[in-house]
Amino acid sequence: MLLKTSDLTPGVLAKWAFSLALPLGVYFLLPHGGSLTPPMLAFLAVTLWAVCAWALDTMNDVAVGVLLPILYTLLCGVSQKVVFAPWLSDVGIIVIGGFTLGKIIQVTGLGKRIALTCVKLTGGSFAGALAGITIGAAILSPLVPSIMGKAAILCAVALALCDALDFKPKSREATAVVLGTCIAVGSTKLAYLTGAGDLVMGMGLVDKVLGTQTSWMEYAKFNFPPAMLYTAMSLGIVLLVLRTSVNREKLQATVCKQHAELGAMTDEQKRALILLCLTLVLLATDKLHHLSAGTVLVLIMSASFLPGVSLMDGKRLASVNFAPLFFVMGCMAIGAAGGYLKVTHWLAGLVLPLFSETGTTLAGVCSYAVGVAVNFLLTPLAATSTLSTPIAELGMQMGIDPRLLYFSFQYGLDNLIFPYEYALYLYFFSTGYINFKDMVLVMAIRIVLAGAFVACIAMPYWRMLG
């Protein structure tokens, strides 16, 4: 028997049946002809299958990403030159360089030291400890484009703090620490172009519509101030909703003990810190030297192998998980194939009537709402690859700076209710330290206040700069 029948449970078969039936239904039931050509219908069916596979976990997400470009070529008539074009963009080298840099931060222990130092400096109170973790997340965010890489570093710090203070899993205190850390990782990424792979990809798609090239510093100029305010607001929601009384002296003593156990900074950590500082300087001065973010990260990665630096070697490089790169590029193939087949124009035509009577601010709020809603069906990466181009084209048609709608959309993608909607939240929730009801309450309040934040603070700021 060649099949592993133990894997073919009724639940698995039902998921496969649904993930195949829904795309086939879309292909055969939607009207052929007119604005929807057979290749466009095939594209919608293939993309919907991928979404179902990711949502129902019927196939490994990386395997789906690898398969997507091939399916678009075989079933939709899109040339390989189109579907593999994203590999020629900056996204791939940013992921490679960023993942390698993240591994250096992790294996040298520098990431944990940065986070615990921030907690110690602000750790005189419970709110201060959470603020310290948030500052640590903001420091690491531009240097580790992998959202899960940041999650692995900071989640370990949060759990260590809970265990040291004897915060029981699912208690209000433990929920506040772990959920607050998770929110900090997600919200601070919005400040930087290299905060996450989906931001690099999405901005690239918007730039393609505009015919521009957004630099790292220009993106930070638009997004660093509002993202930091948004992060502070998110932290405030956690502290207010999950109010708790923690012994200040005990907290301070625990943090000091955890930090003392790190010992003196090693030579390796010092070299890694110098390398990170150099990375930040190069990213922030891209308009002077005209090196893209991807080029900077690859140069820094290469420098880590040099004698005297010796932060990376063959063994460490082999331990870097580059598999997500294929998932990222597979998701980018969605945008490439959709744009080639004019599906993005068709989607924009469906959405345009809903936005056409609105002003700039309300259009931004609608874009934010689209991001929140699509979270229930798509991963942020898949949503970014699928909808960034239609949203940018929509802004062009309405006479609105497309970047404003795209930024609002990304804020929507950062807001969700249930852990399954985003791997970041699922990772933190799977620790068993977060109370589900408390999380839902915090996130529901945050969705409402984040919408108000986009309308009243972020949009006016972006319009002022635009």
Side-chain angles (χ1 to χ4, degrees), residues 315-339:
K315 185 177 180 180
R316 285 184 176 179
L317 186 64
S319 68
V320 179
N321 179 20
F322 287 117
L325 172 64
F326 297 95
F327 173 65
V328 171
M329 305 314 287
C331 287
M332 287 198 68
I334 298 176

Side-chain angles (χ1 to χ4, degrees), residues 326-367:
F326 297 95
F327 173 65
V328 171
M329 305 314 287
C331 287
M332 287 198 68
I334 298 176
Y340 176 81
L341 294 171
K342 307 299 182 185
V343 177
T344 53
H345 290 77
W346 175 74
L347 285 173
L350 291 179
V351 180
L352 182 60
L354 304 176
F355 286 56
S356 58
E357 301 300 323
T358 66
T360 302
T361 299
L362 188 53
V365 173
C366 289
S367 187

Side-chain angles (χ1 to χ4, degrees), residues 122-147:
T122 59
S125 65
F126 186 73
L130 279 181
I133 292 177
T134 301
I135 293 171
I139 293 172
L140 291 175
S141 189
L143 302 169
V144 187
S146 165
I147 198 74

Side-chain angles (χ1 to χ4, degrees), residues 99-131:
F99 278 22
T100 306
L101 200 58
K103 175 60 71 172
I104 292 173
I105 292 173
Q106 182 183 21
V107 298
T108 60
L110 182 62
K112 186 176 182 180
R113 181 177 291 277
I114 289 173
L116 276 174
T117 300
C118 292
V119 172
K120 182 184 178 182
L121 292 175
T122 59
S125 65
F126 186 73
L130 279 181

